[in-house]
Amino acid sequence: MTTAQTVTGERADLLATLAKHRFFLTFTTRGLTDEQARLRTTASELCLGGLIKHVTSAERGWAAFIVEGASAMPNFAEMTDEDYRQRENDFKLLPGETLAEVLAAYEEAARRTDELVATVDLDAVLELPKAPWNTEQAWSVRRVLLHIISETAQHAGHADIIRESLDGQKTMG
């Protein structure tokens, strides 16, 4: 998941870090069937296919935020319980969805983010969307990219636990 453009310095570091954690996340799904990717193997509601879907959705959302600002994101402060229930589908590999499709969508989202990393003004500051958990008013684009990296890394760890619970396979150990 790289860009056609050669980048150096901080941008290269951001891309390399994203690539590493994306690899850890997607590697957890190696050799799995769609059914296995749907399985919950812990007390959590999470499954491997759903984690990939969630990270894809989050990365798409934050990439759109970088380009369009807060209007690209939902106003979480005004979301209803039904809105949140609908968002729960981002954490599930639903019937009719395949792991291959989810992985392809993630690759496309990653490609778009990589293009942004190569070209966007990292110092630009954007007002954050309204959300009960946002304690700050704005982030730099750099901070948004660091958030994407931390989300990806956190969920790669979740995925590793789910995969190990599924069949003993480990990604990072």
PDB file of all heavy atoms in Angstrom, residues 1 13-28 51-52 55 59 106 110 114 145-160 171-172:
ATOM      1  N   MET A   1       0.841  -1.164   0.000  1.00  0.00           N
ATOM      2  CA  MET A   1       0.000   0.000   0.000  1.00  0.00           C
ATOM      3  C   MET A   1       0.890   1.232   0.000  1.00  0.00           C
ATOM      4  O   MET A   1       1.131   1.841   1.034  1.00  0.00           O
ATOM      5  CB  MET A   1      -0.917  -0.010   1.213  1.00  0.00           C
ATOM      6  CG  MET A   1      -1.871  -1.168   1.216  1.00  0.00           C
ATOM      7  SD  MET A   1      -2.936  -1.127   2.662  1.00  0.00           S
ATOM      8  CE  MET A   1      -3.419  -2.821   2.729  1.00  0.00           C
ATOM      9  N   ASP A  13       8.158   8.246   7.193  1.00  0.00           N
ATOM     10  CA  ASP A  13       7.991   7.586   8.490  1.00  0.00           C
ATOM     11  C   ASP A  13       6.519   7.285   8.769  1.00  0.00           C
ATOM     12  O   ASP A  13       6.181   6.199   9.256  1.00  0.00           O
ATOM     13  CB  ASP A  13       8.560   8.454   9.608  1.00  0.00           C
ATOM     14  CG  ASP A  13      10.068   8.533   9.596  1.00  0.00           C
ATOM     15  OD1 ASP A  13      10.721   7.694   8.931  1.00  0.00           O
ATOM     16  OD2 ASP A  13      10.611   9.446  10.255  1.00  0.00           O
ATOM     17  N   LEU A  14       5.648   8.243   8.486  1.00  0.00           N
ATOM     18  CA  LEU A  14       4.215   8.017   8.685  1.00  0.00           C
ATOM     19  C   LEU A  14       3.722   6.858   7.818  1.00  0.00           C
ATOM     20  O   LEU A  14       2.992   5.975   8.293  1.00  0.00           O
ATOM     21  CB  LEU A  14       3.426   9.293   8.371  1.00  0.00           C
ATOM     22  CG  LEU A  14       3.588  10.444   9.353  1.00  0.00           C
ATOM     23  CD1 LEU A  14       3.014  11.729   8.770  1.00  0.00           C
ATOM     24  CD2 LEU A  14       2.945  10.123  10.695  1.00  0.00           C
ATOM     25  N   LEU A  15       4.122   6.856   6.552  1.00  0.00           N
ATOM     26  CA  LEU A  15       3.706   5.784   5.641  1.00  0.00           C
ATOM     27  C   LEU A  15       4.250   4.427   6.072  1.00  0.00           C
ATOM     28  O   LEU A  15       3.531   3.421   6.023  1.00  0.00           O
ATOM     29  CB  LEU A  15       4.136   6.098   4.206  1.00  0.00           C
ATOM     30  CG  LEU A  15       3.368   7.221   3.521  1.00  0.00           C
ATOM     31  CD1 LEU A  15       4.029   7.591   2.202  1.00  0.00           C
ATOM     32  CD2 LEU A  15       1.908   6.833   3.319  1.00  0.00           C
ATOM     33  N   ALA A  16       5.500   4.386   6.499  1.00  0.00           N
ATOM     34  CA  ALA A  16       6.100   3.118   6.935  1.00  0.00           C
ATOM     35  C   ALA A  16       5.403   2.590   8.187  1.00  0.00           C
ATOM     36  O   ALA A  16       5.147   1.378   8.295  1.00  0.00           O
ATOM     37  CB  ALA A  16       7.594   3.297   7.189  1.00  0.00           C
ATOM     38  N   THR A  17       5.073   3.473   9.098  1.00  0.00           N
ATOM     39  CA  THR A  17       4.396   3.047  10.324  1.00  0.00           C
ATOM     40  C   THR A  17       2.988   2.552  10.019  1.00  0.00           C
ATOM     41  O   THR A  17       2.560   1.515  10.533  1.00  0.00           O
ATOM     42  CB  THR A  17       4.371   4.191  11.351  1.00  0.00           C
ATOM     43  OG1 THR A  17       5.719   4.602  11.601  1.00  0.00           O
ATOM     44  CG2 THR A  17       3.723   3.761  12.653  1.00  0.00           C
ATOM     45  N   LEU A  18       2.274   3.274   9.173  1.00  0.00           N
ATOM     46  CA  LEU A  18       0.951   2.810   8.750  1.00  0.00           C
ATOM     47  C   LEU A  18       1.045   1.450   8.074  1.00  0.00           C
ATOM     48  O   LEU A  18       0.259   0.541   8.368  1.00  0.00           O
ATOM     49  CB  LEU A  18       0.319   3.818   7.779  1.00  0.00           C
ATOM     50  CG  LEU A  18      -0.601   4.858   8.366  1.00  0.00           C
ATOM     51  CD1 LEU A  18      -0.929   5.921   7.326  1.00  0.00           C
ATOM     52  CD2 LEU A  18      -1.851   4.241   8.912  1.00  0.00           C
ATOM     53  N   ALA A  19       1.988   1.286   7.164  1.00  0.00           N
ATOM     54  CA  ALA A  19       2.146   0.021   6.435  1.00  0.00           C
ATOM     55  C   ALA A  19       2.414  -1.131   7.399  1.00  0.00           C
ATOM     56  O   ALA A  19       1.850  -2.224   7.246  1.00  0.00           O
ATOM     57  CB  ALA A  19       3.265   0.134   5.402  1.00  0.00           C
ATOM     58  N   LYS A  20       3.252  -0.901   8.396  1.00  0.00           N
ATOM     59  CA  LYS A  20       3.581  -1.959   9.354  1.00  0.00           C
ATOM     60  C   LYS A  20       2.331  -2.409  10.112  1.00  0.00           C
ATOM     61  O   LYS A  20       2.050  -3.605  10.213  1.00  0.00           O
ATOM     62  CB  LYS A  20       4.642  -1.465  10.338  1.00  0.00           C
ATOM     63  CG  LYS A  20       4.985  -2.488  11.422  1.00  0.00           C
ATOM     64  CD  LYS A  20       6.075  -1.986  12.347  1.00  0.00           C
ATOM     65  CE  LYS A  20       5.467  -1.213  13.477  1.00  0.00           C
ATOM     66  NZ  LYS A  20       6.437  -0.839  14.510  1.00  0.00           N
ATOM     67  N   HIS A  21       1.567  -1.468  10.629  1.00  0.00           N
ATOM     68  CA  HIS A  21       0.399  -1.841  11.423  1.00  0.00           C
ATOM     69  C   HIS A  21      -0.738  -2.374  10.555  1.00  0.00           C
ATOM     70  O   HIS A  21      -1.483  -3.252  10.991  1.00  0.00           O
ATOM     71  CB  HIS A  21      -0.035  -0.668  12.296  1.00  0.00           C
ATOM     72  CG  HIS A  21       0.972  -0.364  13.357  1.00  0.00           C
ATOM     73  ND1 HIS A  21       1.304  -1.247  14.355  1.00  0.00           N
ATOM     74  CD2 HIS A  21       1.764   0.716  13.544  1.00  0.00           C
ATOM     75  CE1 HIS A  21       2.233  -0.731  15.129  1.00  0.00           C
ATOM     76  NE2 HIS A  21       2.543   0.466  14.645  1.00  0.00           N
ATOM     77  N   ARG A  22      -0.853  -1.874   9.335  1.00  0.00           N
ATOM     78  CA  ARG A  22      -1.835  -2.453   8.408  1.00  0.00           C
ATOM     79  C   ARG A  22      -1.488  -3.915   8.120  1.00  0.00           C
ATOM     80  O   ARG A  22      -2.371  -4.766   8.047  1.00  0.00           O
ATOM     81  CB  ARG A  22      -1.870  -1.677   7.105  1.00  0.00           C
ATOM     82  CG  ARG A  22      -2.526  -0.323   7.209  1.00  0.00           C
ATOM     83  CD  ARG A  22      -2.343   0.403   5.903  1.00  0.00           C
ATOM     84  NE  ARG A  22      -2.953   1.707   5.886  1.00  0.00           N
ATOM     85  CZ  ARG A  22      -2.485   2.717   5.176  1.00  0.00           C
ATOM     86  NH1 ARG A  22      -1.399   2.560   4.423  1.00  0.00           N
ATOM     87  NH2 ARG A  22      -3.090   3.877   5.201  1.00  0.00           N
ATOM     88  N   PHE A  23      -0.204  -4.190   7.922  1.00  0.00           N
ATOM     89  CA  PHE A  23       0.222  -5.567   7.682  1.00  0.00           C
ATOM     90  C   PHE A  23      -0.155  -6.453   8.863  1.00  0.00           C
ATOM     91  O   PHE A  23      -0.718  -7.530   8.689  1.00  0.00           O
ATOM     92  CB  PHE A  23       1.731  -5.653   7.423  1.00  0.00           C
ATOM     93  CG  PHE A  23       2.223  -7.077   7.419  1.00  0.00           C
ATOM     94  CD1 PHE A  23       2.034  -7.889   6.314  1.00  0.00           C
ATOM     95  CD2 PHE A  23       2.838  -7.614   8.545  1.00  0.00           C
ATOM     96  CE1 PHE A  23       2.447  -9.213   6.314  1.00  0.00           C
ATOM     97  CE2 PHE A  23       3.254  -8.940   8.563  1.00  0.00           C
ATOM     98  CZ  PHE A  23       3.058  -9.738   7.442  1.00  0.00           C
ATOM     99  N   PHE A  24       0.177  -6.014  10.086  1.00  0.00           N
ATOM    100  CA  PHE A  24      -0.163  -6.818  11.262  1.00  0.00           C
ATOM    101  C   PHE A  24      -1.656  -7.089  11.320  1.00  0.00           C
ATOM    102  O   PHE A  24      -2.087  -8.206  11.611  1.00  0.00           O
ATOM    103  CB  PHE A  24       0.265  -6.118  12.555  1.00  0.00           C
ATOM    104  CG  PHE A  24       1.745  -6.157  12.830  1.00  0.00           C
ATOM    105  CD1 PHE A  24       2.354  -5.082  13.456  1.00  0.00           C
ATOM    106  CD2 PHE A  24       2.526  -7.250  12.500  1.00  0.00           C
ATOM    107  CE1 PHE A  24       3.715  -5.098  13.737  1.00  0.00           C
ATOM    108  CE2 PHE A  24       3.883  -7.286  12.769  1.00  0.00           C
ATOM    109  CZ  PHE A  24       4.480  -6.207  13.391  1.00  0.00           C
ATOM    110  N   LEU A  25      -2.463  -6.076  11.027  1.00  0.00           N
ATOM    111  CA  LEU A  25      -3.915  -6.240  11.071  1.00  0.00           C
ATOM    112  C   LEU A  25      -4.389  -7.241  10.020  1.00  0.00           C
ATOM    113  O   LEU A  25      -5.102  -8.183  10.327  1.00  0.00           O
ATOM    114  CB  LEU A  25      -4.606  -4.885  10.876  1.00  0.00           C
ATOM    115  CG  LEU A  25      -6.134  -4.913  10.817  1.00  0.00           C
ATOM    116  CD1 LEU A  25      -6.730  -5.446  12.113  1.00  0.00           C
ATOM    117  CD2 LEU A  25      -6.664  -3.517  10.504  1.00  0.00           C
ATOM    118  N   THR A  26      -3.995  -7.041   8.783  1.00  0.00           N
ATOM    119  CA  THR A  26      -4.506  -7.913   7.717  1.00  0.00           C
ATOM    120  C   THR A  26      -3.906  -9.315   7.770  1.00  0.00           C
ATOM    121  O   THR A  26      -4.566 -10.275   7.379  1.00  0.00           O
ATOM    122  CB  THR A  26      -4.280  -7.291   6.327  1.00  0.00           C
ATOM    123  OG1 THR A  26      -2.881  -7.061   6.128  1.00  0.00           O
ATOM    124  CG2 THR A  26      -5.053  -5.982   6.181  1.00  0.00           C
ATOM    125  N   PHE A  27      -2.687  -9.438   8.271  1.00  0.00           N
ATOM    126  CA  PHE A  27      -2.044 -10.754   8.364  1.00  0.00           C
ATOM    127  C   PHE A  27      -2.822 -11.686   9.288  1.00  0.00           C
ATOM    128  O   PHE A  27      -2.778 -12.908   9.117  1.00  0.00           O
ATOM    129  CB  PHE A  27      -0.599 -10.593   8.840  1.00  0.00           C
ATOM    130  CG  PHE A  27       0.220 -11.855   8.749  1.00  0.00           C
ATOM    131  CD1 PHE A  27       0.554 -12.389   7.510  1.00  0.00           C
ATOM    132  CD2 PHE A  27       0.668 -12.490   9.892  1.00  0.00           C
ATOM    133  CE1 PHE A  27       1.316 -13.553   7.414  1.00  0.00           C
ATOM    134  CE2 PHE A  27       1.430 -13.648   9.813  1.00  0.00           C
ATOM    135  CZ  PHE A  27       1.759 -14.180   8.567  1.00  0.00           C
ATOM    136  N   THR A  28      -3.554 -11.128  10.243  1.00  0.00           N
ATOM    137  CA  THR A  28      -4.339 -11.976  11.149  1.00  0.00           C
ATOM    138  C   THR A  28      -5.419 -12.751  10.415  1.00  0.00           C
ATOM    139  O   THR A  28      -5.924 -13.741  10.937  1.00  0.00           O
ATOM    140  CB  THR A  28      -5.017 -11.154  12.268  1.00  0.00           C
ATOM    141  OG1 THR A  28      -5.909 -10.217  11.689  1.00  0.00           O
ATOM    142  CG2 THR A  28      -3.996 -10.478  13.156  1.00  0.00           C
ATOM    143  N   LEU A  51     -13.392  -6.185  12.425  1.00  0.00           N
ATOM    144  CA  LEU A  51     -12.304  -5.261  12.744  1.00  0.00           C
ATOM    145  C   LEU A  51     -11.749  -4.613  11.485  1.00  0.00           C
ATOM    146  O   LEU A  51     -11.493  -3.407  11.465  1.00  0.00           O
ATOM    147  CB  LEU A  51     -11.180  -5.989  13.485  1.00  0.00           C
ATOM    148  CG  LEU A  51     -11.355  -6.116  14.981  1.00  0.00           C
ATOM    149  CD1 LEU A  51     -10.250  -6.991  15.575  1.00  0.00           C
ATOM    150  CD2 LEU A  51     -11.366  -4.760  15.648  1.00  0.00           C
ATOM    151  N   ILE A  52     -11.583  -5.412  10.429  1.00  0.00           N
ATOM    152  CA  ILE A  52     -11.092  -4.850   9.167  1.00  0.00           C
ATOM    153  C   ILE A  52     -12.098  -3.826   8.646  1.00  0.00           C
ATOM    154  O   ILE A  52     -11.725  -2.730   8.212  1.00  0.00           O
ATOM    155  CB  ILE A  52     -10.840  -5.951   8.110  1.00  0.00           C
ATOM    156  CG1 ILE A  52      -9.867  -7.004   8.608  1.00  0.00           C
ATOM    157  CG2 ILE A  52     -10.411  -5.333   6.778  1.00  0.00           C
ATOM    158  CD1 ILE A  52      -8.433  -6.606   8.686  1.00  0.00           C
ATOM    159  N   VAL A  55     -11.832  -0.586  10.823  1.00  0.00           N
ATOM    160  CA  VAL A  55     -10.628   0.203  10.544  1.00  0.00           C
ATOM    161  C   VAL A  55     -10.755   0.868   9.173  1.00  0.00           C
ATOM    162  O   VAL A  55     -10.354   2.022   8.992  1.00  0.00           O
ATOM    163  CB  VAL A  55      -9.356  -0.649  10.673  1.00  0.00           C
ATOM    164  CG1 VAL A  55      -8.117   0.110  10.223  1.00  0.00           C
ATOM    165  CG2 VAL A  55      -9.183  -1.109  12.122  1.00  0.00           C
ATOM    166  N   GLU A  59     -10.671   4.824   8.806  1.00  0.00           N
ATOM    167  CA  GLU A  59      -9.648   5.461   7.966  1.00  0.00           C
ATOM    168  C   GLU A  59     -10.288   6.292   6.857  1.00  0.00           C
ATOM    169  O   GLU A  59      -9.848   7.408   6.582  1.00  0.00           O
ATOM    170  CB  GLU A  59      -8.713   4.401   7.387  1.00  0.00           C
ATOM    171  CG  GLU A  59      -7.514   5.006   6.715  1.00  0.00           C
ATOM    172  CD  GLU A  59      -6.355   4.049   6.512  1.00  0.00           C
ATOM    173  OE1 GLU A  59      -6.115   3.177   7.364  1.00  0.00           O
ATOM    174  OE2 GLU A  59      -5.682   4.199   5.470  1.00  0.00           O
ATOM    175  N   TYR A 106     -10.372  -2.221   2.273  1.00  0.00           N
ATOM    176  CA  TYR A 106      -9.348  -1.669   3.159  1.00  0.00           C
ATOM    177  C   TYR A 106      -8.129  -1.226   2.355  1.00  0.00           C
ATOM    178  O   TYR A 106      -7.580  -0.146   2.585  1.00  0.00           O
ATOM    179  CB  TYR A 106      -8.965  -2.697   4.224  1.00  0.00           C
ATOM    180  CG  TYR A 106      -7.980  -2.178   5.241  1.00  0.00           C
ATOM    181  CD1 TYR A 106      -8.129  -0.924   5.821  1.00  0.00           C
ATOM    182  CD2 TYR A 106      -6.905  -2.947   5.635  1.00  0.00           C
ATOM    183  CE1 TYR A 106      -7.223  -0.442   6.767  1.00  0.00           C
ATOM    184  CE2 TYR A 106      -6.000  -2.490   6.581  1.00  0.00           C
ATOM    185  CZ  TYR A 106      -6.169  -1.235   7.146  1.00  0.00           C
ATOM    186  OH  TYR A 106      -5.272  -0.767   8.078  1.00  0.00           O
ATOM    187  N   ALA A 110      -6.672   2.529   2.265  1.00  0.00           N
ATOM    188  CA  ALA A 110      -5.267   2.756   2.601  1.00  0.00           C
ATOM    189  C   ALA A 110      -4.553   3.498   1.468  1.00  0.00           C
ATOM    190  O   ALA A 110      -3.763   4.422   1.724  1.00  0.00           O
ATOM    191  CB  ALA A 110      -4.578   1.429   2.891  1.00  0.00           C
ATOM    192  N   ASP A 114      -2.682   7.017   1.893  1.00  0.00           N
ATOM    193  CA  ASP A 114      -1.272   7.145   1.517  1.00  0.00           C
ATOM    194  C   ASP A 114      -1.068   8.319   0.559  1.00  0.00           C
ATOM    195  O   ASP A 114      -0.082   9.049   0.661  1.00  0.00           O
ATOM    196  CB  ASP A 114      -0.757   5.851   0.885  1.00  0.00           C
ATOM    197  CG  ASP A 114      -0.597   4.730   1.891  1.00  0.00           C
ATOM    198  OD1 ASP A 114      -0.766   4.965   3.107  1.00  0.00           O
ATOM    199  OD2 ASP A 114      -0.289   3.602   1.454  1.00  0.00           O
ATOM    200  N   LEU A 145      -3.392  11.916  11.316  1.00  0.00           N
ATOM    201  CA  LEU A 145      -2.676  10.748  10.793  1.00  0.00           C
ATOM    202  C   LEU A 145      -2.128   9.883  11.921  1.00  0.00           C
ATOM    203  O   LEU A 145      -2.171   8.646  11.842  1.00  0.00           O
ATOM    204  CB  LEU A 145      -1.574  11.187   9.844  1.00  0.00           C
ATOM    205  CG  LEU A 145      -2.077  11.845   8.555  1.00  0.00           C
ATOM    206  CD1 LEU A 145      -0.922  12.472   7.797  1.00  0.00           C
ATOM    207  CD2 LEU A 145      -2.847  10.855   7.696  1.00  0.00           C
ATOM    208  N   LEU A 146      -1.643  10.506  12.973  1.00  0.00           N
ATOM    209  CA  LEU A 146      -1.190   9.739  14.137  1.00  0.00           C
ATOM    210  C   LEU A 146      -2.347   8.986  14.779  1.00  0.00           C
ATOM    211  O   LEU A 146      -2.184   7.854  15.261  1.00  0.00           O
ATOM    212  CB  LEU A 146      -0.503  10.648  15.151  1.00  0.00           C
ATOM    213  CG  LEU A 146       0.836  11.226  14.705  1.00  0.00           C
ATOM    214  CD1 LEU A 146       1.313  12.302  15.687  1.00  0.00           C
ATOM    215  CD2 LEU A 146       1.878  10.140  14.538  1.00  0.00           C
ATOM    216  N   HIS A 147      -3.527   9.588  14.752  1.00  0.00           N
ATOM    217  CA  HIS A 147      -4.718   8.907  15.268  1.00  0.00           C
ATOM    218  C   HIS A 147      -5.061   7.679  14.410  1.00  0.00           C
ATOM    219  O   HIS A 147      -5.387   6.617  14.954  1.00  0.00           O
ATOM    220  CB  HIS A 147      -5.905   9.870  15.325  1.00  0.00           C
ATOM    221  CG  HIS A 147      -7.153   9.242  15.830  1.00  0.00           C
ATOM    222  ND1 HIS A 147      -7.321   8.864  17.147  1.00  0.00           N
ATOM    223  CD2 HIS A 147      -8.288   8.885  15.189  1.00  0.00           C
ATOM    224  CE1 HIS A 147      -8.507   8.311  17.289  1.00  0.00           C
ATOM    225  NE2 HIS A 147      -9.115   8.314  16.117  1.00  0.00           N
ATOM    226  N   ILE A 148      -4.977   7.810  13.098  1.00  0.00           N
ATOM    227  CA  ILE A 148      -5.221   6.657  12.218  1.00  0.00           C
ATOM    228  C   ILE A 148      -4.219   5.547  12.535  1.00  0.00           C
ATOM    229  O   ILE A 148      -4.587   4.369  12.608  1.00  0.00           O
ATOM    230  CB  ILE A 148      -5.148   7.068  10.732  1.00  0.00           C
ATOM    231  CG1 ILE A 148      -6.314   7.999  10.369  1.00  0.00           C
ATOM    232  CG2 ILE A 148      -5.144   5.837   9.825  1.00  0.00           C
ATOM    233  CD1 ILE A 148      -6.195   8.638   8.992  1.00  0.00           C
ATOM    234  N   ILE A 149      -2.967   5.916  12.730  1.00  0.00           N
ATOM    235  CA  ILE A 149      -1.946   4.924  13.068  1.00  0.00           C
ATOM    236  C   ILE A 149      -2.289   4.250  14.392  1.00  0.00           C
ATOM    237  O   ILE A 149      -2.234   3.005  14.503  1.00  0.00           O
ATOM    238  CB  ILE A 149      -0.543   5.574  13.136  1.00  0.00           C
ATOM    239  CG1 ILE A 149      -0.088   5.972  11.730  1.00  0.00           C
ATOM    240  CG2 ILE A 149       0.472   4.626  13.784  1.00  0.00           C
ATOM    241  CD1 ILE A 149       1.145   6.869  11.704  1.00  0.00           C
ATOM    242  N   SER A 150      -2.662   5.024  15.406  1.00  0.00           N
ATOM    243  CA  SER A 150      -2.945   4.418  16.711  1.00  0.00           C
ATOM    244  C   SER A 150      -4.178   3.526  16.658  1.00  0.00           C
ATOM    245  O   SER A 150      -4.206   2.459  17.272  1.00  0.00           O
ATOM    246  CB  SER A 150      -3.073   5.485  17.797  1.00  0.00           C
ATOM    247  OG  SER A 150      -4.207   6.282  17.613  1.00  0.00           O
ATOM    248  N   GLU A 151      -5.197   3.935  15.914  1.00  0.00           N
ATOM    249  CA  GLU A 151      -6.388   3.085  15.730  1.00  0.00           C
ATOM    250  C   GLU A 151      -6.011   1.760  15.079  1.00  0.00           C
ATOM    251  O   GLU A 151      -6.455   0.695  15.497  1.00  0.00           O
ATOM    252  CB  GLU A 151      -7.416   3.790  14.836  1.00  0.00           C
ATOM    253  CG  GLU A 151      -8.294   4.777  15.500  1.00  0.00           C
ATOM    254  CD  GLU A 151      -9.562   4.154  16.052  1.00  0.00           C
ATOM    255  OE1 GLU A 151     -10.188   3.307  15.395  1.00  0.00           O
ATOM    256  OE2 GLU A 151      -9.918   4.519  17.171  1.00  0.00           O
ATOM    257  N   THR A 152      -5.203   1.844  14.034  1.00  0.00           N
ATOM    258  CA  THR A 152      -4.800   0.648  13.308  1.00  0.00           C
ATOM    259  C   THR A 152      -3.993  -0.273  14.213  1.00  0.00           C
ATOM    260  O   THR A 152      -4.239  -1.487  14.263  1.00  0.00           O
ATOM    261  CB  THR A 152      -3.997   1.023  12.050  1.00  0.00           C
ATOM    262  OG1 THR A 152      -4.773   1.942  11.273  1.00  0.00           O
ATOM    263  CG2 THR A 152      -3.661  -0.202  11.215  1.00  0.00           C
ATOM    264  N   ALA A 153      -3.056   0.284  14.954  1.00  0.00           N
ATOM    265  CA  ALA A 153      -2.219  -0.520  15.853  1.00  0.00           C
ATOM    266  C   ALA A 153      -3.054  -1.157  16.960  1.00  0.00           C
ATOM    267  O   ALA A 153      -2.887  -2.346  17.277  1.00  0.00           O
ATOM    268  CB  ALA A 153      -1.117   0.338  16.446  1.00  0.00           C
ATOM    269  N   GLN A 154      -3.956  -0.392  17.544  1.00  0.00           N
ATOM    270  CA  GLN A 154      -4.797  -0.921  18.616  1.00  0.00           C
ATOM    271  C   GLN A 154      -5.632  -2.094  18.107  1.00  0.00           C
ATOM    272  O   GLN A 154      -5.708  -3.138  18.747  1.00  0.00           O
ATOM    273  CB  GLN A 154      -5.711   0.175  19.160  1.00  0.00           C
ATOM    274  CG  GLN A 154      -6.638  -0.307  20.252  1.00  0.00           C
ATOM    275  CD  GLN A 154      -7.523   0.792  20.800  1.00  0.00           C
ATOM    276  OE1 GLN A 154      -7.568   1.896  20.277  1.00  0.00           O
ATOM    277  NE2 GLN A 154      -8.220   0.502  21.863  1.00  0.00           N
ATOM    278  N   HIS A 155      -6.230  -1.929  16.940  1.00  0.00           N
ATOM    279  CA  HIS A 155      -7.086  -2.988  16.422  1.00  0.00           C
ATOM    280  C   HIS A 155      -6.277  -4.172  15.885  1.00  0.00           C
ATOM    281  O   HIS A 155      -6.771  -5.297  15.878  1.00  0.00           O
ATOM    282  CB  HIS A 155      -8.057  -2.428  15.390  1.00  0.00           C
ATOM    283  CG  HIS A 155      -9.085  -1.546  16.028  1.00  0.00           C
ATOM    284  ND1 HIS A 155      -9.805  -1.917  17.141  1.00  0.00           N
ATOM    285  CD2 HIS A 155      -9.497  -0.293  15.733  1.00  0.00           C
ATOM    286  CE1 HIS A 155     -10.622  -0.952  17.495  1.00  0.00           C
ATOM    287  NE2 HIS A 155     -10.455   0.061  16.654  1.00  0.00           N
ATOM    288  N   ALA A 156      -5.042  -3.946  15.478  1.00  0.00           N
ATOM    289  CA  ALA A 156      -4.173  -5.072  15.116  1.00  0.00           C
ATOM    290  C   ALA A 156      -3.931  -5.947  16.337  1.00  0.00           C
ATOM    291  O   ALA A 156      -3.908  -7.184  16.237  1.00  0.00           O
ATOM    292  CB  ALA A 156      -2.855  -4.568  14.528  1.00  0.00           C
ATOM    293  N   GLY A 157      -3.770  -5.332  17.487  1.00  0.00           N
ATOM    294  CA  GLY A 157      -3.628  -6.101  18.729  1.00  0.00           C
ATOM    295  C   GLY A 157      -4.887  -6.875  19.060  1.00  0.00           C
ATOM    296  O   GLY A 157      -4.824  -8.050  19.450  1.00  0.00           O
ATOM    297  N   HIS A 158      -6.046  -6.236  18.898  1.00  0.00           N
ATOM    298  CA  HIS A 158      -7.312  -6.947  19.099  1.00  0.00           C
ATOM    299  C   HIS A 158      -7.396  -8.148  18.165  1.00  0.00           C
ATOM    300  O   HIS A 158      -7.779  -9.248  18.566  1.00  0.00           O
ATOM    301  CB  HIS A 158      -8.509  -6.037  18.814  1.00  0.00           C
ATOM    302  CG  HIS A 158      -8.690  -4.932  19.781  1.00  0.00           C
ATOM    303  ND1 HIS A 158      -9.161  -3.706  19.398  1.00  0.00           N
ATOM    304  CD2 HIS A 158      -8.465  -4.833  21.104  1.00  0.00           C
ATOM    305  CE1 HIS A 158      -9.233  -2.905  20.445  1.00  0.00           C
ATOM    306  NE2 HIS A 158      -8.802  -3.571  21.493  1.00  0.00           N
ATOM    307  N   ALA A 159      -7.044  -7.905  16.906  1.00  0.00           N
ATOM    308  CA  ALA A 159      -7.136  -8.975  15.903  1.00  0.00           C
ATOM    309  C   ALA A 159      -6.222 -10.142  16.256  1.00  0.00           C
ATOM    310  O   ALA A 159      -6.591 -11.305  16.078  1.00  0.00           O
ATOM    311  CB  ALA A 159      -6.792  -8.422  14.516  1.00  0.00           C
ATOM    312  N   ASP A 160      -5.048  -9.846  16.763  1.00  0.00           N
ATOM    313  CA  ASP A 160      -4.109 -10.902  17.136  1.00  0.00           C
ATOM    314  C   ASP A 160      -4.699 -11.789  18.230  1.00  0.00           C
ATOM    315  O   ASP A 160      -4.604 -13.018  18.171  1.00  0.00           O
ATOM    316  CB  ASP A 160      -2.789 -10.280  17.588  1.00  0.00           C
ATOM    317  CG  ASP A 160      -1.640 -11.261  17.600  1.00  0.00           C
ATOM    318  OD1 ASP A 160      -1.541 -12.079  16.661  1.00  0.00           O
ATOM    319  OD2 ASP A 160      -0.836 -11.210  18.541  1.00  0.00           O
ATOM    320  N   THR A 171       0.093 -13.420  15.164  1.00  0.00           N
ATOM    321  CA  THR A 171       0.621 -12.483  14.181  1.00  0.00           C
ATOM    322  C   THR A 171       1.923 -11.887  14.661  1.00  0.00           C
ATOM    323  O   THR A 171       2.869 -11.763  13.914  1.00  0.00           O
ATOM    324  CB  THR A 171      -0.386 -11.358  13.927  1.00  0.00           C
ATOM    325  OG1 THR A 171      -1.598 -11.946  13.488  1.00  0.00           O
ATOM    326  CG2 THR A 171       0.109 -10.395  12.865  1.00  0.00           C
ATOM    327  N   MET A 172       1.950 -11.507  15.908  1.00  0.00           N
ATOM    328  CA  MET A 172       3.075 -10.734  16.415  1.00  0.00           C
ATOM    329  C   MET A 172       3.870 -11.482  17.483  1.00  0.00           C
ATOM    330  O   MET A 172       4.549 -10.863  18.278  1.00  0.00           O
ATOM    331  CB  MET A 172       2.576  -9.414  16.990  1.00  0.00           C
ATOM    332  CG  MET A 172       1.938  -8.530  15.955  1.00  0.00           C
ATOM    333  SD  MET A 172       1.342  -7.009  16.669  1.00  0.00           S
ATOM    334  CE  MET A 172      -0.408  -7.210  16.492  1.00  0.00           C
TER     335      MET A 172
END
